[in-house]
Amino acid sequence: MWQCQGVSRPDAPAGAVRQGSLREWNLAVVLGRIAAADHPPSRAGLAAETGLTRATVSAVVEDLVAGRLVTEAEPTPRTGAGRPARGLVLAADGPAGLGLEVNVDYLAACVVDLAGRVRHHTVHRADLRPLTPAEALRRLVELATRARAEAAREGLTLAGAALAVPGLVDDAGLVRLAPNLGWRDVPVPALLAGHPPLTASVDGVPPLVVENEANLAALGELHAGPDGAASFLHISGEVGIGAGIVLDGSLFRGARGWSGEIGHIPLHPDGPACRCGGRGCLETYTGQEAILAAAGLAGADLPADTATTRLAELAEGGEPAVLRALHHAGSALGVAVAGVVNLLDLDTVVLGGGYAPLAAWLRPPVLTEISHRVLTAAWSPVTVRPAVLGAEAAAVGAAGSVVRRILARPAGWLTHRG
Amino acid sequence: MWQCQGVSRPDAPAGAVRQGSLREWNLAVVLGRIAAADHPPSRAGLAAETGLTRATVSAVVEDLVAGRLVTEAEPTPRTGAGRPARGLVLAADGPAGLGLEVNVDYLAACVVDLAGRVRHHTVHRADLRPLTPAEALRRLVELATRARAEAAREGLTLAGAALAVPGLVDDAGLVRLAPNLGWRDVPVPALLAGHPPLTASVDGVPPLVVENEANLAALGELHAGPDGAASFLHISGEVGIGAGIVLDGSLFRGARGWSGEIGHIPLHPDGPACRCGGRGCLETYTGQEAILAAAGLAGADLPADTATTRLAELAEGGEPAVLRALHHAGSALGVAVAGVVNLLDLDTVVLGGGYAPLAAWLRPPVLTEISHRVLTAAWSPVTVRPAVLGAEAAAVGAAGSVVRRILARPAGWLTHRG
DNA sequence: GCTATTTGTTCAGTGGTTGAATTATTTGAC
DNA sequence: GTCAAATAATTCAACCACTGAACAAATAGC
């Protein structure tokens, strides 16, 4: 991922702790509490929660309000005795994140505000495989420009952008390989060089981060889903199968950001050849094409997004071949997931992307395999649930990652804003 | 794991940052640099490294020296111009950690000082399967008492203990299941209740932490191995196969501390039944018994520790059946490891425990499978190497975890010491 | 012996938190 | 309608830990 500082809580200052770090840290702590609260907290409440004094919280909040990150909520009428609390909420007109996505059959752009609300969302459907990367990115910039204008109209300031790509991305933003897109060694930042809003670095923060689609989809799920800061595996079942691993509320990216290639976990070591060069990879059993073929829809040549809808319809109608195909796919997926759970001791598995609409049929066989194969299943059940976000998960997650960076390090934003 | 606060760098204070946190943090930063340095650093050098002023570093070091965590090294004669630096080293007579291990055919105790040196080590060989857990732990306490006396003789103060168990351990120290030991639901802390040195909690720090053997072995390898703070998978090939996952220099324990059960990753979903209830688990192909059987040594009934030695001897001698067995085992292991690397994007895999002496024969097939099955193998080679520590890895890792906790949070130790 | 150089300490200054007192704003009792 | 109780938020002197600069200490080289 290109210059990504990580997406979760403020980093442990590996080096020193200068004096100002204290305030920087407390800005992040207080802002984080405001973001995590379900009801607008008061200064006094924050003080009690954090252990800071009310004096300190007041000072910190003053900074946050001055920096347009936080505003005071409408006073709620009935509170009880005493001076009524002034609730604090994340600013609805402060900085926002721009999320972009290039995928096989669509481009997407969205804007997410500090509170995580999706304020704008456009999808441009088109088969991108015939296009050159440069042309695809040109169209993406059009979408981004429109999103930027839309954001400005709502009083939002875009603080950065993240781009989701269904492939392996380098630290330098180079897309090493995006098999389903047909991309190989595409230098995204260089190709976007002529578009200042996406390239001009502000205050050391890179304006555009390029990251794997499955990872960003997992992030989207993390912020949109029911568990605030849990650990889970988010599986994006598209043409290929990717996964994002969230551990303790933060994305685990691996040594080079290439974690989550669950589609190439060997399932039958001597099984059919996979295009990755291996044999019997999970993808050859539960990839979209494999499921369609098993369901007898191989030749239908449906667009990727309607294929899963069609499968769900047929399954709903009780079509035996489809039900059988989904059961098989679910079992295969379950075997792989059982291995992952044995390895990582996760308590939640999220079926996302194209798997989400099929979750009703995939879930039972997945659970069966887990219960048979996970050593600790007896003591601690594993939750398997469909994703909350649909196809837009990656773009929303991308935009969310920008916003989360500000929430995690508000001091950077404040000093930069003057 | 029983009340373990994690073993790596100082935690991000999730809650508040009070004023004193600053000093606490800098104590940890400076101490960490002293621990990580290969030559005793000077105060001035530390100031340059950390970005703190020399004044601050002096004050911090003064605290550390007063707390007996750091001492000034012997002045080195030739330094160059200027006032000679006074090198700082971790105290050799400060706090130390007690590491304990219960395994199938031995008990072990060791003492590791702040600098990570093993100052004492005893192994008591005996088949523990016939013993009751209480009797086994009684013998362990004997070893621990002797180790404690030995530590005192060398001027060391034991700051806590950690116990490695080949099984699944609860947050409360309950050993849920240790199949090869024949333990089930053994409440270790309760059984040790009569032994104050292992149970009297000092300053909120639990005196004894119970943790999975594979996890602690990985920690031992982390501190003893060549890469200071890398990410790797450490595989302990014993009767069962366990693994410890180290990510960015800290152990990943999973939601309940039950991560690393690599032995039960499904390899052939319809393969032979495993005692875990699943089918075709890795362990049924590369567990010690499976390898011995494949090598034609099934009936030999060797003690566990000599079995691998014997295998290595025979392989060294070119015995075809043994070479074939090891190649098969290595291939199976490689398939599983390829899945793990695809999932986690690790750059290093360590063959530990019983696999270490066999690494010469296991490594090539493992590498072959990785190169064929890991999607990113082309861009970033995966290192597969034998473990540095041998059978003592878990006990040393256990003792090391105690010491690391002090290094990570020196403030706790200092206030406790007065 | 003198100078250059580097280490470590001292000390006034400053930023940010602390704790108590004060002010502000509401509810409820008389 | 007034006052007491209760809760929220601000003010302000004190304090803690870091900063920066000046200074003392200790050595090598000339």
Side-chain angles (χ1 to χ4, degrees), chain A residues 15-18 22 25-26 29 50-51 176 255-256 258 260-261 264 267 269 279 342-343 345 347 373 379-380, chain B residues 15-18 22 25 29 50-51 168 176 255-256 258 260-261 264 267 269 279 342-343 345 347 373 379-380:
Chain A
V17 184
R18 336 197 87 262
L22 233 156
W25 194 275
N26 282 334
V29 168
T50 58
R176 286 289 179 92
R256 302 166 202 86
W258 299 337
E261 290 299 335
H264 301 281
L267 208 65
R279 304 193 75 84
N342 268 323
L343 186 73
D345 180 31
D347 53 12
R373 297 178 188 278
W379 300 294
S380 63
Chain B
V17 183
R18 335 196 85 262
L22 232 150
W25 194 274
V29 168
T50 59
L168 299 171
R176 289 288 181 93
R256 302 163 203 88
W258 299 337
E261 288 300 336
H264 301 282
L267 208 66
R279 303 194 76 84
N342 268 324
L343 187 72
D345 181 30
D347 53 12
R373 296 178 188 277
W379 300 292
S380 64

Side-chain angles (χ1 to χ4, degrees), chain A residues 262-274 276-286 290 327-336 369 373, chain B residues 265-272 279-280 285 331-332 334-336 338-339 369 372-373:
Chain A
I262 194 178
H264 301 281
I265 286 185
L267 208 65
H268 293 273
D270 308 312
C274 175
C276 77
R279 304 193 75 84
C281 297
L282 176 65
E283 198 163 304
T284 62
Y285 299 94
T286 58
H327 184 85
H328 268 98
S331 292
L333 191 59
V335 171
E369 295 300 331
R373 297 178 188 278
Chain B
I265 286 185
L267 208 66
H268 292 274
D270 308 313
R279 303 194 76 84
Y285 299 95
S331 293
V335 171
E369 295 299 332
H372 287 162
R373 296 178 188 277

Side-chain angles (χ1 to χ4, degrees), chain B residues 295-358:
Chain B
L297 298 172
D301 198 24
L302 300 158
D305 56 315
T306 58
T308 50
T309 323
R310 184 91 189 99
L311 278 173
E313 284 167 12
L314 291 169
E316 196 74 58
E319 191 67 36
V322 172
L323 291 176
R324 217 165 28 238
L326 289 176
H327 184 85
H328 267 98
S331 293
L333 192 58
V335 171
V337 165
V340 174
V341 173
N342 268 324
L343 187 72
L344 296 181
D345 181 30
L346 299 170
D347 53 12
T348 304
V349 175
V350 180
L351 300 176
Y355 287 156
L358 303 173

Side-chain angles (χ1 to χ4, degrees), chain B residues 98 100 107-109 120 122 124 135-150 192 195 198:
Chain B
L98 174 62
L100 303 171
L107 295 168
H120 173 75
T122 341
H124 173 72
E135 174 59 17
L137 290 175
R138 201 193 55 74
R139 294 201 193 176
L140 186 70
V141 168
E142 271 176 37
L143 245 67
T145 308
R146 221 178 312 154
R148 181 171 294 269
E150 201 68 36
L192 291 173
H195 307 281
L198 293 180

Side-chain angles (χ1 to χ4, degrees), chain A residues 141-232:
Chain A
V141 168
E142 272 176 36
L143 245 66
T145 308
R146 221 177 312 154
R148 182 171 293 271
E150 200 67 35
R153 259 181 12 103
E154 299 206 29
L156 294 166
T157 312
L158 293 187
L163 168 60
V165 177
L168 299 172
V169 187
D170 202 299
D171 279 348
L174 178 72
V175 176
R176 286 289 179 92
L177 181 67
N180 302 319
L181 216 46
W183 288 16
R184 184 178 276 276
D185 295 324
V186 175
V188 173
L191 289 176
L192 291 173
H195 306 283
L198 294 179
T199 52
S201 173
V202 180
D203 190 40
V205 175
L208 179 70
V209 157
V210 186
E211 167 74 276
N212 177 269
E213 170 244 7
N215 281 352
L216 290 174
L219 269 186
E221 188 66 21
L222 170 66
H223 302 142
D227 323 294
S231 301
F232 61 83

